[in-house]
Amino acid sequence: MDEEAGSLVRPYTLTGGRARHSGVKLDLITMVTTTGSRRDLSGIGPEQRRILDLARGGASVADIASDIDLPLGVVRVLIGDLLDLGLVEARAPGKVAPLPSERILKEVINGLRAL
């Protein structure tokens, strides 16, 4: 690693030439956390070790990509590999509540005006 030149390893070599992982879909806001598995980590690279460190407290896919300064697609593949190994789990973001109807909003406005 050269600070001025950046990483000397091309991103596609980190993923073995894969552009995507065949497993779960990882959105930008998908939360990744470690499972606490005591598996042998000798077969994973430094980038995946860094992902494990970041996921220990829970982090989104976007935050992980930003923190390790790798393209999002590469990070998704690396996280997918960690999922396959059972070292992390991914939790989809929660559902967003639907917006109230226009009728209800008008009733609230009219009620506030009446005060």
Side-chain angles (χ1 to χ4, degrees):
M1 182 79 148
D2 181 3
E3 290 299 322
E4 291 181 28
S7 176
L8 300 175
V9 178
R10 297 282 184 211
Y12 63 84
T13 59
L14 297 174
T15 63
R18 296 172 293 153
R20 63 179 63 114
H21 187 266
S22 60
V24 297
K25 183 179 181 225
L26 298 170
D27 292 329
L28 290 172
I29 56 176
T30 299
M31 291 301 293
V32 179
T33 56
T34 55
T35 60
S37 174
R38 299 280 185 204
R39 297 186 78 152
D40 180 25
L41 302 180
S42 62
I44 67 171
E47 294 80 10
Q48 287 175 314
R49 288 179 190 272
R50 181 76 176 119
I51 291 171
L52 289 173
D53 288 341
L54 293 169
R56 192 163 283 122
S60 71
V61 172
D63 289 336
I64 292 170
S66 174
D67 285 348
I68 65 174
D69 198 27
L70 284 174
L72 183 61
V74 171
V75 171
R76 284 180 173 154
V77 172
L78 295 175
I79 292 172
D81 292 344
L82 292 172
L83 282 166
D84 290 346
L85 293 171
L87 296 172
V88 296
E89 52 189 28
R91 183 174 33 92
K95 300 268 185 211
V96 176
L99 295 174
S101 71
E102 184 178 337
R103 180 187 60 79
I104 291 175
L105 291 174
K106 285 182 180 179
E107 287 180 20
V108 169
I109 290 171
N110 290 337
L112 290 172
R113 286 183 181 151
L115 293 174

